[in-house]
Amino acid sequence: SSLADEYASAPRPSKALAELLANGPNDPSQGGALYLLLRAAQAFRLQRSCWPGEDKASLDADQTQLKQCVAEVVKDLQLPPPANGSSHVSDELLAEFCRWGGGEMHAIASVMGGIASQEAIKAATHQYQPLDNTFIFNGANGTTAAAKL
């Protein structure tokens, strides 16, 4: 399945996304929250033609706008509210995401390139099982999450 297929499918929370979000802040990979943030950041970029936090002068305004984009993504995916009554995405993670400002670190690109090449080798040689669908890498703490969304 492609990203276009994922976006075009009926807006329903997948079981895998619900599982990623179930652990909330206790999930070391924060995979579900990062997935929502990435979808929200894409919506933000479509609306404003820049990534959240790209202009450091408007960092606070970008955080507020990104939080609204997260709420829209949650609504579009018809996700239930978290059990603890807070948000699916912590304010700390949202602030860190905006501080990032769309930058790309060479070390993260290197790790992702290595993972992608390993998966290509798995697919080409038909040895081992390649990742299926969505892979999320949290470069802040070096954890990963995989889900079939």
Side-chain angles (χ1 to χ4, degrees), residues 70-95:
V70 168
E72 290 169 15
V73 168
V74 168
K75 183 179 175 186
D76 289 346
L77 292 174
Q78 299 173 354
L79 292 170
N84 60 6
S86 65
S87 173
H88 289 292
V89 177
S90 70
D91 288 339
E92 294 82 19
L93 186 59
L94 192 127

Side-chain angles (χ1 to χ4, degrees), residues 116-131:
S117 64
Q118 183 64 41
E119 295 307 307
I121 291 169
K122 287 179 188 178
T125 61
H126 301 286
Q127 291 184 344
Y128 307 108
Q129 184 70 33
L131 290 171

Side-chain angles (χ1 to χ4, degrees), residues 9-87:
S9 67
R12 57 171 176 67
S14 72
K15 183 178 177 183
L17 180 57
E19 288 173 4
L20 283 175
L21 290 168
N23 292 332
N26 299 326
D27 179 11
S29 73
Q30 299 176 319
L34 286 173
Y35 177 80
L36 293 176
L37 270 173
L38 289 169
R39 296 262 316 235
Q42 288 175 333
F44 182 100
R45 184 167 171 81
L46 286 173
Q47 292 172 6
R48 309 227 359 227
S49 299
C50 67
W51 291 109
E54 197 170 299
D55 178 14
K56 299 301 178 199
S58 64
L59 193 60
D60 291 335
D62 286 358
Q63 286 181 18
T64 302
Q65 181 68 32
L66 183 60
K67 189 178 251 189
Q68 291 172 350
C69 289
V70 168
E72 290 169 15
V73 168
V74 168
K75 183 179 175 186
D76 289 346
L77 292 174
Q78 299 173 354
L79 292 170
N84 60 6
S86 65
S87 173

